[in-house]
Amino acid sequence: MTGEELVIRAEAAAANAYAPYSNYLVGASLVTKDARIYDGVNVENAAYPLGICAERTAIAKAASEGLRPGDLEAIGITASPCGGCRQWLHEWRFERVAFRREDGSIAEYTPAGLLPDGWDLPA
Ligand code: THU
């Protein structure tokens, strides 16, 4: 799937976001290298810091089906990923990250383009 196709899918998924505190609905759709698709949304909580971003929901769904870093090809997000999610995108070794810019255009990056000199736990 193209980055734009994933973003359009994420925009549909965002309707399921649980965001009663911010009212900011986010969706993320990822495709695995073997063509499985996982959609995620942000899920907020009354204890605000406990909420989870859409990107991490989608990755957690894939992880809980047994997928591992290197198995995920691309992700589309309805908006630019936050700093914490950029660390997750690095960890999971996506090949491509696409998102909708505020001007409506599609941005396409590698995880390294979004997080230069990405950090890994030393061996
Ligand atoms: N949010 C995401 O889901 N992904 C991001 O990368 C940025 C922020 C969510 C978290 C929170 O539920 C809402 O947007 C407002 O911060």
Side-chain angles (χ1 to χ4, degrees):
M1 291 176 83
T2 68
E4 183 166 23
E5 287 170 336
L6 285 166
V7 169
I8 289 167
R9 185 180 171 102
E11 287 167 344
N16 287 332
Y18 176 71
Y21 306 106
S22 72
N23 289 312
Y24 185 68
L25 310 185
V26 184
S29 296
L30 69 80
V31 62
T32 67
K33 289 180 180 171
D34 64 359
R36 283 182 270 179
I37 297 174
Y38 295 94
D39 299 317
V41 297
N42 54 329
V43 183
E44 297 184 345
N45 190 276
Y48 298 162
L50 300 180
I52 185 170
C53 291
E55 300 91 316
R56 283 182 272 166
T57 300
I59 293 168
K61 286 171 72 175
S64 55
E65 296 297 321
L67 290 147
R68 289 294 173 262
D71 294 338
L72 309 183
E73 182 188 343
I75 187 167
I77 314 161
T78 56
S80 178
C82 77
C85 286
R86 291 176 190 221
Q87 181 69 29
W88 273 56
L89 298 169
H90 166 71
E91 173 95 15
W92 284 82
R93 301 296 192 264
F94 282 89
E95 294 180 351
R96 297 179 285 123
V97 180
F99 58 87
R100 180 86 65 192
R101 292 192 184 94
E102 289 200 8
D103 70 4
S105 64
I106 298 289
E108 296 239 23
Y109 286 94
T110 62
L114 293 170
L115 191 70
D117 294 321
W119 176 81
D120 293 292
L121 192 65

Short mmCIF file of all heavy atoms in Angstrom, two decimals, residues 50-106:
data_model
loop_
_atom_site.label_atom_id
_atom_site.label_comp_id
_atom_site.label_asym_id
_atom_site.label_seq_id
_atom_site.Cartn_x
_atom_site.Cartn_y
_atom_site.Cartn_z
N LEU A 50 -2.00 8.45 31.20
CA LEU A 50 -2.12 7.02 30.90
C LEU A 50 -2.67 6.75 29.51
O LEU A 50 -2.70 5.60 29.07
CB LEU A 50 -3.01 6.34 31.94
CG LEU A 50 -2.50 6.43 33.38
CD1 LEU A 50 -3.46 5.71 34.32
CD2 LEU A 50 -1.11 5.84 33.49
N GLY A 51 -3.08 7.78 28.79
CA GLY A 51 -3.60 7.57 27.45
C GLY A 51 -2.52 7.01 26.53
O GLY A 51 -1.32 7.15 26.79
N ILE A 52 -2.97 6.35 25.45
CA ILE A 52 -2.03 5.79 24.49
C ILE A 52 -2.31 6.38 23.11
O ILE A 52 -3.47 6.58 22.73
CB ILE A 52 -2.08 4.24 24.48
CG1 ILE A 52 -1.00 3.66 23.54
CG2 ILE A 52 -3.46 3.73 24.11
CD1 ILE A 52 -0.83 2.16 23.66
N CYS A 53 -1.24 6.64 22.36
CA CYS A 53 -1.36 7.20 21.02
C CYS A 53 -1.80 6.13 20.02
O CYS A 53 -1.60 4.92 20.23
CB CYS A 53 -0.02 7.75 20.56
SG CYS A 53 0.53 9.23 21.43
N ALA A 54 -2.36 6.59 18.91
CA ALA A 54 -2.85 5.69 17.86
C ALA A 54 -1.75 4.80 17.30
O ALA A 54 -1.98 3.60 17.04
CB ALA A 54 -3.47 6.53 16.74
N GLU A 55 -0.58 5.36 17.08
CA GLU A 55 0.53 4.59 16.50
C GLU A 55 0.88 3.41 17.40
O GLU A 55 1.11 2.28 16.95
CB GLU A 55 1.77 5.47 16.35
CG GLU A 55 1.60 6.67 15.45
CD GLU A 55 1.16 7.93 16.20
OE1 GLU A 55 0.26 7.84 17.07
OE2 GLU A 55 1.72 9.00 15.91
N ARG A 56 0.96 3.70 18.71
CA ARG A 56 1.35 2.64 19.64
C ARG A 56 0.26 1.60 19.79
O ARG A 56 0.55 0.41 19.99
CB ARG A 56 1.76 3.25 20.99
CG ARG A 56 3.16 3.84 20.90
CD ARG A 56 3.61 4.42 22.22
NE ARG A 56 3.19 5.80 22.35
CZ ARG A 56 3.20 6.48 23.49
NH1 ARG A 56 3.56 5.88 24.59
NH2 ARG A 56 2.85 7.74 23.50
N THR A 57 -1.00 2.01 19.68
CA THR A 57 -2.10 1.03 19.69
C THR A 57 -1.96 0.07 18.52
O THR A 57 -2.08 -1.16 18.67
CB THR A 57 -3.46 1.74 19.61
OG1 THR A 57 -3.60 2.60 20.73
CG2 THR A 57 -4.59 0.74 19.60
N ALA A 58 -1.70 0.60 17.32
CA ALA A 58 -1.58 -0.26 16.14
C ALA A 58 -0.39 -1.21 16.29
O ALA A 58 -0.49 -2.41 15.97
CB ALA A 58 -1.43 0.60 14.88
N ILE A 59 0.74 -0.68 16.77
CA ILE A 59 1.93 -1.53 16.93
C ILE A 59 1.68 -2.59 18.01
O ILE A 59 2.07 -3.76 17.85
CB ILE A 59 3.16 -0.66 17.26
CG1 ILE A 59 3.52 0.22 16.06
CG2 ILE A 59 4.35 -1.53 17.66
CD1 ILE A 59 4.53 1.34 16.37
N ALA A 60 1.01 -2.22 19.09
CA ALA A 60 0.72 -3.19 20.16
C ALA A 60 -0.20 -4.30 19.64
O ALA A 60 -0.05 -5.46 20.02
CB ALA A 60 0.10 -2.48 21.36
N LYS A 61 -1.14 -3.96 18.77
CA LYS A 61 -2.00 -4.99 18.18
C LYS A 61 -1.17 -5.96 17.36
O LYS A 61 -1.34 -7.19 17.45
CB LYS A 61 -3.09 -4.35 17.31
CG LYS A 61 -4.19 -3.68 18.14
CD LYS A 61 -5.16 -2.87 17.30
CE LYS A 61 -6.08 -3.73 16.46
NZ LYS A 61 -7.09 -2.87 15.75
N ALA A 62 -0.23 -5.43 16.56
CA ALA A 62 0.63 -6.31 15.76
C ALA A 62 1.52 -7.16 16.66
O ALA A 62 1.68 -8.37 16.44
CB ALA A 62 1.46 -5.47 14.79
N ALA A 63 2.08 -6.54 17.69
CA ALA A 63 2.97 -7.27 18.61
C ALA A 63 2.22 -8.41 19.28
O ALA A 63 2.75 -9.52 19.45
CB ALA A 63 3.54 -6.32 19.66
N SER A 64 0.96 -8.15 19.64
CA SER A 64 0.22 -9.18 20.36
C SER A 64 -0.24 -10.31 19.45
O SER A 64 -0.67 -11.36 19.93
CB SER A 64 -0.95 -8.58 21.14
OG SER A 64 -1.78 -7.83 20.31
N GLU A 65 -0.09 -10.12 18.14
CA GLU A 65 -0.32 -11.22 17.19
C GLU A 65 0.99 -11.93 16.85
O GLU A 65 1.03 -12.80 15.97
CB GLU A 65 -0.96 -10.68 15.91
CG GLU A 65 -2.35 -10.09 16.11
CD GLU A 65 -3.37 -11.11 16.59
OE1 GLU A 65 -3.33 -12.25 16.12
OE2 GLU A 65 -4.19 -10.75 17.46
N GLY A 66 2.09 -11.53 17.51
CA GLY A 66 3.36 -12.23 17.32
C GLY A 66 4.35 -11.54 16.41
O GLY A 66 5.46 -12.04 16.20
N LEU A 67 3.98 -10.38 15.86
CA LEU A 67 4.90 -9.67 14.96
C LEU A 67 6.01 -9.01 15.77
O LEU A 67 5.83 -8.66 16.93
CB LEU A 67 4.12 -8.68 14.11
CG LEU A 67 3.24 -9.45 13.12
CD1 LEU A 67 1.94 -8.74 12.84
CD2 LEU A 67 4.00 -9.71 11.83
N ARG A 68 7.15 -8.82 15.11
CA ARG A 68 8.34 -8.32 15.77
C ARG A 68 9.01 -7.24 14.92
O ARG A 68 8.72 -7.12 13.73
CB ARG A 68 9.32 -9.49 16.00
CG ARG A 68 8.83 -10.48 17.07
CD ARG A 68 8.81 -9.79 18.42
NE ARG A 68 8.22 -10.57 19.50
CZ ARG A 68 6.96 -10.44 19.93
NH1 ARG A 68 6.13 -9.60 19.36
NH2 ARG A 68 6.52 -11.16 20.96
N PRO A 69 9.93 -6.45 15.52
CA PRO A 69 10.62 -5.44 14.71
C PRO A 69 11.23 -6.06 13.46
O PRO A 69 11.83 -7.14 13.53
CB PRO A 69 11.70 -4.93 15.68
CG PRO A 69 11.06 -5.06 17.03
CD PRO A 69 10.31 -6.38 16.95
N GLY A 70 11.03 -5.37 12.34
CA GLY A 70 11.47 -5.90 11.05
C GLY A 70 10.34 -6.53 10.26
O GLY A 70 10.48 -6.75 9.06
N ASP A 71 9.23 -6.86 10.94
CA ASP A 71 8.09 -7.47 10.24
C ASP A 71 7.13 -6.42 9.68
O ASP A 71 6.21 -6.77 8.93
CB ASP A 71 7.28 -8.35 11.21
CG ASP A 71 8.05 -9.57 11.70
OD1 ASP A 71 9.01 -9.97 11.02
OD2 ASP A 71 7.67 -10.10 12.77
N LEU A 72 7.29 -5.16 10.07
CA LEU A 72 6.30 -4.12 9.72
C LEU A 72 6.87 -3.26 8.58
O LEU A 72 7.99 -2.77 8.66
CB LEU A 72 5.99 -3.26 10.95
CG LEU A 72 5.62 -4.05 12.21
CD1 LEU A 72 5.26 -3.10 13.34
CD2 LEU A 72 4.48 -5.04 11.95
N GLU A 73 6.08 -3.09 7.54
CA GLU A 73 6.59 -2.39 6.36
C GLU A 73 6.36 -0.88 6.44
O GLU A 73 7.30 -0.10 6.26
CB GLU A 73 5.92 -2.95 5.10
CG GLU A 73 6.44 -2.29 3.83
CD GLU A 73 5.65 -2.71 2.60
OE1 GLU A 73 4.93 -3.72 2.65
OE2 GLU A 73 5.74 -2.00 1.59
N ALA A 74 5.12 -0.49 6.65
CA ALA A 74 4.78 0.94 6.55
C ALA A 74 3.62 1.27 7.46
O ALA A 74 2.83 0.40 7.83
CB ALA A 74 4.42 1.28 5.11
N ILE A 75 3.54 2.56 7.82
CA ILE A 75 2.43 3.03 8.66
C ILE A 75 1.96 4.37 8.13
O ILE A 75 2.78 5.19 7.67
CB ILE A 75 2.86 3.11 10.14
CG1 ILE A 75 1.68 3.44 11.07
CG2 ILE A 75 4.01 4.10 10.34
CD1 ILE A 75 1.99 3.22 12.55
N GLY A 76 0.65 4.57 8.16
CA GLY A 76 0.05 5.85 7.82
C GLY A 76 -0.63 6.41 9.05
O GLY A 76 -1.28 5.66 9.79
N ILE A 77 -0.48 7.69 9.29
CA ILE A 77 -0.97 8.34 10.51
C ILE A 77 -1.74 9.59 10.08
O ILE A 77 -1.38 10.26 9.10
CB ILE A 77 0.20 8.72 11.44
CG1 ILE A 77 1.19 7.57 11.58
CG2 ILE A 77 -0.31 9.17 12.81
CD1 ILE A 77 2.56 7.99 12.08
N THR A 78 -2.76 9.93 10.86
CA THR A 78 -3.58 11.09 10.49
C THR A 78 -2.87 12.42 10.76
O THR A 78 -3.31 13.46 10.29
CB THR A 78 -4.93 11.08 11.22
OG1 THR A 78 -4.68 11.02 12.63
CG2 THR A 78 -5.77 9.88 10.80
N ALA A 79 -1.80 12.38 11.57
CA ALA A 79 -1.06 13.60 11.88
C ALA A 79 0.39 13.25 12.17
O ALA A 79 0.74 12.06 12.32
CB ALA A 79 -1.68 14.30 13.09
N SER A 80 1.22 14.24 12.28
CA SER A 80 2.64 14.02 12.54
C SER A 80 2.83 13.31 13.88
O SER A 80 2.23 13.70 14.90
CB SER A 80 3.34 15.39 12.57
OG SER A 80 4.71 15.24 12.87
N PRO A 81 3.64 12.25 13.92
CA PRO A 81 3.80 11.49 15.16
C PRO A 81 4.55 12.26 16.24
O PRO A 81 5.51 12.98 15.95
CB PRO A 81 4.59 10.26 14.72
CG PRO A 81 5.30 10.67 13.48
CD PRO A 81 4.40 11.67 12.80
N CYS A 82 4.12 12.06 17.48
CA CYS A 82 4.79 12.71 18.61
C CYS A 82 6.19 12.11 18.82
O CYS A 82 6.53 11.07 18.25
CB CYS A 82 3.94 12.58 19.87
SG CYS A 82 4.02 10.95 20.66
N GLY A 83 6.95 12.76 19.66
CA GLY A 83 8.32 12.31 19.90
C GLY A 83 8.40 10.89 20.42
O GLY A 83 9.24 10.09 19.99
N GLY A 84 7.52 10.54 21.38
CA GLY A 84 7.55 9.19 21.92
C GLY A 84 7.23 8.15 20.86
O GLY A 84 7.85 7.07 20.81
N CYS A 85 6.27 8.45 20.00
CA CYS A 85 5.93 7.50 18.93
C CYS A 85 7.06 7.39 17.92
O CYS A 85 7.26 6.32 17.33
CB CYS A 85 4.62 7.91 18.25
SG CYS A 85 3.19 7.56 19.30
N ARG A 86 7.83 8.44 17.73
CA ARG A 86 8.99 8.34 16.82
C ARG A 86 9.99 7.32 17.36
O ARG A 86 10.61 6.60 16.57
CB ARG A 86 9.63 9.72 16.63
CG ARG A 86 8.71 10.63 15.83
CD ARG A 86 9.24 12.05 15.68
NE ARG A 86 8.17 12.87 15.11
CZ ARG A 86 8.32 13.80 14.18
NH1 ARG A 86 9.52 14.08 13.71
NH2 ARG A 86 7.29 14.47 13.72
N GLN A 87 10.13 7.23 18.67
CA GLN A 87 11.02 6.20 19.25
C GLN A 87 10.45 4.80 18.98
O GLN A 87 11.19 3.86 18.69
CB GLN A 87 11.19 6.45 20.74
CG GLN A 87 12.11 5.45 21.44
CD GLN A 87 13.57 5.60 21.04
OE1 GLN A 87 14.03 6.68 20.68
NE2 GLN A 87 14.31 4.50 21.08
N TRP A 88 9.14 4.66 19.05
CA TRP A 88 8.51 3.36 18.73
C TRP A 88 8.70 3.02 17.25
O TRP A 88 8.97 1.88 16.90
CB TRP A 88 7.02 3.39 19.07
CG TRP A 88 6.70 3.03 20.49
CD1 TRP A 88 7.20 3.63 21.62
CD2 TRP A 88 5.82 1.99 20.94
NE1 TRP A 88 6.67 3.03 22.72
CE2 TRP A 88 5.83 2.03 22.35
CE3 TRP A 88 5.01 1.07 20.29
CZ2 TRP A 88 5.07 1.14 23.12
CZ3 TRP A 88 4.24 0.19 21.04
CH2 TRP A 88 4.28 0.23 22.43
N LEU A 89 8.54 4.01 16.39
CA LEU A 89 8.71 3.76 14.95
C LEU A 89 10.14 3.32 14.66
O LEU A 89 10.38 2.45 13.82
CB LEU A 89 8.35 5.01 14.15
CG LEU A 89 6.89 5.47 14.29
CD1 LEU A 89 6.70 6.86 13.68
CD2 LEU A 89 5.92 4.47 13.66
N HIS A 90 11.10 3.89 15.38
CA HIS A 90 12.50 3.48 15.26
C HIS A 90 12.68 2.04 15.75
O HIS A 90 13.25 1.20 15.05
CB HIS A 90 13.38 4.44 16.08
CG HIS A 90 14.76 3.96 16.32
ND1 HIS A 90 15.71 3.89 15.31
CD2 HIS A 90 15.37 3.51 17.45
CE1 HIS A 90 16.84 3.43 15.83
NE2 HIS A 90 16.67 3.18 17.10
N GLU A 91 12.16 1.74 16.92
CA GLU A 91 12.30 0.39 17.51
C GLU A 91 11.76 -0.69 16.58
O GLU A 91 12.34 -1.76 16.47
CB GLU A 91 11.52 0.35 18.84
CG GLU A 91 11.43 -1.01 19.50
CD GLU A 91 12.51 -1.24 20.54
OE1 GLU A 91 13.16 -0.25 20.95
OE2 GLU A 91 12.71 -2.40 20.94
N TRP A 92 10.63 -0.36 15.90
CA TRP A 92 9.94 -1.37 15.11
C TRP A 92 10.42 -1.43 13.67
O TRP A 92 9.92 -2.22 12.87
CB TRP A 92 8.42 -1.19 15.24
CG TRP A 92 8.00 -1.71 16.58
CD1 TRP A 92 8.06 -1.07 17.79
CD2 TRP A 92 7.56 -3.04 16.87
NE1 TRP A 92 7.69 -1.92 18.79
CE2 TRP A 92 7.37 -3.14 18.26
CE3 TRP A 92 7.32 -4.17 16.07
CZ2 TRP A 92 6.95 -4.32 18.87
CZ3 TRP A 92 6.88 -5.33 16.69
CH2 TRP A 92 6.71 -5.40 18.06
N ARG A 93 11.39 -0.61 13.33
CA ARG A 93 12.11 -0.71 12.05
C ARG A 93 11.19 -0.64 10.83
O ARG A 93 11.33 -1.43 9.89
CB ARG A 93 12.96 -1.99 12.00
CG ARG A 93 14.01 -2.09 13.13
CD ARG A 93 15.06 -0.99 13.03
NE ARG A 93 16.21 -1.21 13.90
CZ ARG A 93 16.39 -0.67 15.13
NH1 ARG A 93 15.44 0.10 15.66
NH2 ARG A 93 17.48 -0.89 15.80
N PHE A 94 10.24 0.29 10.89
CA PHE A 94 9.40 0.50 9.69
C PHE A 94 10.29 0.94 8.53
O PHE A 94 11.31 1.61 8.71
CB PHE A 94 8.37 1.61 9.97
CG PHE A 94 7.20 1.16 10.78
CD1 PHE A 94 7.23 1.22 12.17
CD2 PHE A 94 6.06 0.66 10.17
CE1 PHE A 94 6.15 0.80 12.94
CE2 PHE A 94 4.98 0.24 10.92
CZ PHE A 94 5.03 0.31 12.31
N GLU A 95 9.87 0.60 7.33
CA GLU A 95 10.57 1.09 6.13
C GLU A 95 10.07 2.47 5.75
O GLU A 95 10.83 3.29 5.22
CB GLU A 95 10.36 0.11 4.96
CG GLU A 95 11.03 -1.23 5.21
CD GLU A 95 10.84 -2.20 4.07
OE1 GLU A 95 10.05 -1.92 3.14
OE2 GLU A 95 11.48 -3.27 4.13
N ARG A 96 8.78 2.71 5.97
CA ARG A 96 8.17 3.97 5.52
C ARG A 96 7.16 4.45 6.57
O ARG A 96 6.41 3.64 7.12
CB ARG A 96 7.42 3.76 4.20
CG ARG A 96 8.30 3.36 3.04
CD ARG A 96 7.49 3.16 1.76
NE ARG A 96 6.73 1.92 1.76
CZ ARG A 96 5.42 1.85 1.61
NH1 ARG A 96 4.70 2.95 1.40
NH2 ARG A 96 4.81 0.68 1.61
N VAL A 97 7.14 5.76 6.78
CA VAL A 97 6.16 6.40 7.67
C VAL A 97 5.52 7.54 6.89
O VAL A 97 6.23 8.42 6.38
CB VAL A 97 6.84 6.96 8.94
CG1 VAL A 97 5.79 7.63 9.84
CG2 VAL A 97 7.61 5.87 9.69
N ALA A 98 4.21 7.51 6.79
CA ALA A 98 3.49 8.58 6.08
C ALA A 98 2.49 9.23 7.02
O ALA A 98 1.93 8.57 7.90
CB ALA A 98 2.75 8.02 4.86
N PHE A 99 2.29 10.52 6.88
CA PHE A 99 1.26 11.19 7.66
C PHE A 99 0.73 12.40 6.90
O PHE A 99 1.36 12.88 5.95
CB PHE A 99 1.76 11.59 9.06
CG PHE A 99 2.96 12.50 9.08
CD1 PHE A 99 2.81 13.87 9.03
CD2 PHE A 99 4.24 11.97 9.19
CE1 PHE A 99 3.92 14.71 9.07
CE2 PHE A 99 5.36 12.80 9.23
CZ PHE A 99 5.20 14.16 9.17
N ARG A 100 -0.43 12.84 7.33
CA ARG A 100 -1.08 14.02 6.73
C ARG A 100 -0.56 15.28 7.42
O ARG A 100 -0.67 15.41 8.64
CB ARG A 100 -2.59 13.92 6.91
CG ARG A 100 -3.37 15.09 6.33
CD ARG A 100 -3.70 14.95 4.89
NE ARG A 100 -4.60 13.85 4.59
CZ ARG A 100 -4.82 13.41 3.33
NH1 ARG A 100 -4.19 13.97 2.30
NH2 ARG A 100 -5.65 12.42 3.12
N ARG A 101 0.01 16.19 6.64
CA ARG A 101 0.42 17.48 7.20
C ARG A 101 -0.81 18.38 7.40
O ARG A 101 -1.86 18.16 6.79
CB ARG A 101 1.40 18.20 6.27
CG ARG A 101 2.75 17.54 6.12
CD ARG A 101 3.70 18.52 5.42
NE ARG A 101 5.01 17.92 5.16
CZ ARG A 101 5.35 17.33 4.02
NH1 ARG A 101 4.49 17.26 3.03
NH2 ARG A 101 6.55 16.82 3.88
N GLU A 102 -0.63 19.41 8.20
CA GLU A 102 -1.76 20.32 8.45
C GLU A 102 -2.23 21.01 7.18
O GLU A 102 -3.39 21.40 7.08
CB GLU A 102 -1.38 21.34 9.53
CG GLU A 102 -1.29 20.69 10.91
CD GLU A 102 -1.39 21.68 12.04
OE1 GLU A 102 -1.68 22.86 11.79
OE2 GLU A 102 -1.16 21.25 13.19
N ASP A 103 -1.34 21.15 6.18
CA ASP A 103 -1.76 21.78 4.91
C ASP A 103 -2.44 20.78 3.98
O ASP A 103 -2.81 21.14 2.85
CB ASP A 103 -0.57 22.46 4.23
CG ASP A 103 0.47 21.47 3.68
OD1 ASP A 103 0.25 20.24 3.77
OD2 ASP A 103 1.51 21.94 3.17
N GLY A 104 -2.60 19.53 4.44
CA GLY A 104 -3.32 18.53 3.66
C GLY A 104 -2.41 17.64 2.82
O GLY A 104 -2.86 16.61 2.32
N SER A 105 -1.17 18.00 2.67
CA SER A 105 -0.25 17.18 1.87
C SER A 105 0.18 15.95 2.66
O SER A 105 0.00 15.87 3.88
CB SER A 105 0.96 18.01 1.45
OG SER A 105 1.71 18.41 2.56
N ILE A 106 0.73 14.98 1.94
CA ILE A 106 1.22 13.75 2.57
C ILE A 106 2.73 13.86 2.76
O ILE A 106 3.46 14.17 1.80
CB ILE A 106 0.91 12.53 1.68
CG1 ILE A 106 -0.60 12.36 1.50
CG2 ILE A 106 1.55 11.26 2.26
CD1 ILE A 106 -1.36 11.91 2.73
#
